[in-house]
Amino acid sequence: MANIYYLSKLGVFGIYISLTVGLSVIVTVGFILTQTPVIRVLFNLEDSLRKQIILGVFFGGVSILGTFLGTDVNGAIANIRDVGAISGGLFGGPFVGLIAGLIGGVHRFSLGGFTAAPCALATILNGTIAGILYTTKRGKVFSILPGAVFTAIAEVVHMGLVLLMSRPFPEALSLVKTISGPMILANPFGVALFLLVIQVSMREREKVSAITAEKVLKITEKTLPILSRGLSEDTADAAVRIILKNTNLDAVAITDTDKILAFSGAGEDHHKVGLPFRTSSTMEAIKTGKTMLLKNENEVGCDFKNCPISSGIVVPLKKTDGEVFGTLKLYRVERNAVTLLDEELAKGLAAILVTQIELNEIEKEKELRTRSQLKALQARINPHFLFNTLNTIGYIVRNDPEKGRNLIYHLSFILRETLDRKSNFVELSDEIRLVRSYLEIEKERFGDKLTTEFNITPEALKIKIPSLIVQPIVENAVKHGFSSFVKKLKITISAYTRLNMLYIVIEDTGKGISKDKIDEIIQYDADESIGIRNVLDRMKNLYGKNYQFKIRSSPGKGTKVIIGIPVEGVKKWLFEQLSLTTKSPQGKK
């Protein structure tokens, strides 16, 4: 009655006001929900049926809310129901749009009225068609203006269905004349605002991911030389102190499956190193292998009465086979104080800790004999390259899933080739495949700033060379080639045979290297040239004096690295001996 009285006083203007108020409520609710952890996870879309269903239900709920916030007009409802169905389709795709449309449409049909059937059908169709439009954006978040334009057209069609299906026709016509203006204006505006809310939420996640990656990288660089020695009380203590110093956390701990290996910060007076851990959440994380997000003291589960820890996150440390061998724990003294940044930070740090610890186990398993070879193995899992690559893939996947899958393939190929190669020697063709994969990833980062060229003769491709002697040189060219005055970089890789030698030439147009710097690299005085020094070490071990390695460069004129390898390789007896004493870090025992 109140709505009818209201409309009798204000007419169509009253409907505009009512729908505007409804839009304010929906957008406010939508913004609040996108800040909750559950919805934030859902907005990080994957090809998961479960996530699609939950998203459909979420946007279906928004659609129902749009109906409840509508205004009764002569037995029908002027509403903003299509905001939920269309936003769901434009953001999540056909399946999400269909589910949201069905939920909103069936709910509208259940309310009855002479326009129930056409309004329900319109909502279902609008959600589904919006989802089909989503596929044209290839995974991108649908732009605001096209979304609003589509919604306006959809509302015109909605009015057409009401005229076509509702009876008596004069009442339907009178209704459309009354509500068409407000609905055709309000629903597009609502979809535009909702898409804006989604974009803001996703940009926030991207910003958090970037900040997290930077922090994790900084911590990784400091903990790498420590945890490369393995996980012990001493190395764990150094690691937690580095983490605590470089974050605003209140406490950090690392455990194995039985006891505390290190604890620093609030609560360290009773969380003693070497003693069994005192929190039930740690036991649960080890038992289930799941990350535990702790909101209060009860969820932390410390058996010490006056423990200051009130919230935190416990991440199990898992080997590649899934076996849990410990936990990383980040704590705060306030309740509900764990942020999205903390979650991302904990997971990123745990992944890096596991990698560093497993590198140490690989060292022991393979009985690496030289320090330079160990560093070379760690360089293959270069934190800068990994994080840059993962951030690039994360961005590309949202914009071009096919290209994203291709980059993931290249990254997995690089990791497999650098860690699983069983022989010291590979054909040049295999090494070039590795180099191409590496450059494909780097070209996605640098775009047209980085170009490449390959000039390799067919006979050179089948010659066997020591594994991983070209890729480190190319990586060095990319890493050091750009500068404030070198904005574009071209890398040319050539290979040819002459007499009994295979020559591999890596040339770039980068900033160049001074003669003094070249001397430092050759004489092992440059700390950042581990990759090149490893190449030199292995060449010397394998070929004695029967190889060539030259660096020709000068500042501002680019760099050329020339590698000469005997075509006949090493003699069988020498290879067998060296396979025992100079096994590549990437080989398997």
Side-chain angles (χ1 to χ4, degrees), residues 562-576:
I562 303 170
I563 302 173
I565 298 173
V567 171
E568 67 270 21
V570 293
K571 295 180 179 180
K572 184 177 181 181
W573 65 268
L574 181 58
F575 170 75
E576 291 174 349

Side-chain angles (χ1 to χ4, degrees), residues 265-280:
E268 63 182 13
D269 59 326
H270 59 279
H271 291 281
K272 298 288 188 179
V273 173
L275 297 180
F277 31 77
R278 311 185 63 159
T279 57
S280 58

Side-chain angles (χ1 to χ4, degrees), residues 80-110:
I80 45 177
R81 177 175 56 254
D82 287 344
V83 169
I86 293 175
S87 296
L90 293 179
F91 174 71
F95 193 55
V96 174
L98 176 61
I99 294 175
L102 281 171
I103 292 174
V106 170
H107 172 260
R108 172 62 188 91
F109 187 78
S110 69

Side-chain angles (χ1 to χ4, degrees), residues 181-203:
M183 286 185 62
I184 291 173
L185 180 64
N187 279 280
F189 190 61
V191 168
L193 288 176
F194 217 94
L195 290 176
L196 178 61
V197 166
I198 293 171
Q199 288 184 7
V200 169
S201 178
M202 295 187 72
R203 284 171 188 159

Side-chain angles (χ1 to χ4, degrees), residues 28-74:
T28 301
V29 170
F31 180 77
I32 292 173
L33 287 175
T34 57
Q35 303 309 302
T36 62
V38 173
I39 300 301
R40 283 202 302 259
V41 169
L42 288 176
F43 279 13
N44 187 20
L45 268 178
E46 298 174 0
D47 292 330
S48 163
L49 179 61
R50 178 171 174 270
K51 283 192 175 183
Q52 296 287 307
I53 293 173
I54 297 175
L55 271 174
V57 172
F58 168 75
F59 283 105
V62 174
S63 188
I64 291 175
L65 182 62
T67 300
F68 278 128
L69 293 173
T71 300
D72 182 272
V73 181
N74 300 329

Side-chain angles (χ1 to χ4, degrees), residues 65 169 190 234 258 273 293 463 502:
L65 182 62
F169 180 78
D234 289 338
D258 300 309
V273 173
L293 183 61
I463 297 175
L502 167 68

Side-chain angles (χ1 to χ4, degrees), residues 571-583:
K571 295 180 179 180
K572 184 177 181 181
W573 65 268
L574 181 58
F575 170 75
E576 291 174 349
Q577 180 67 24
L578 290 173
S579 66
L580 298 176
T581 59
T582 61
K583 183 174 285 294

Side-chain angles (χ1 to χ4, degrees), residues 371-423:
R371 191 174 188 85
S372 63
Q373 287 176 323
L374 171 60
K375 290 181 178 178
L377 174 58
Q378 293 169 331
R380 301 279 63 78
I381 312 296
N382 186 298
H384 287 279
F385 172 68
L386 269 181
F387 273 99
N388 286 334
T389 300
L390 291 174
N391 281 337
T392 300
I393 290 173
Y395 175 79
I396 293 295
V397 163
R398 288 191 293 270
N399 292 274
D400 191 338
E402 188 62 34
K403 184 179 289 185
R405 282 192 290 270
N406 190 46
L407 289 181
I408 291 172
Y409 165 78
H410 285 304
L411 178 59
S412 65
F413 176 78
I414 290 171
L415 294 175
R416 184 171 62 250
E417 286 297 296
T418 55
L419 292 175
D420 289 344
R421 280 187 174 175
K422 298 179 180 180
S423 172

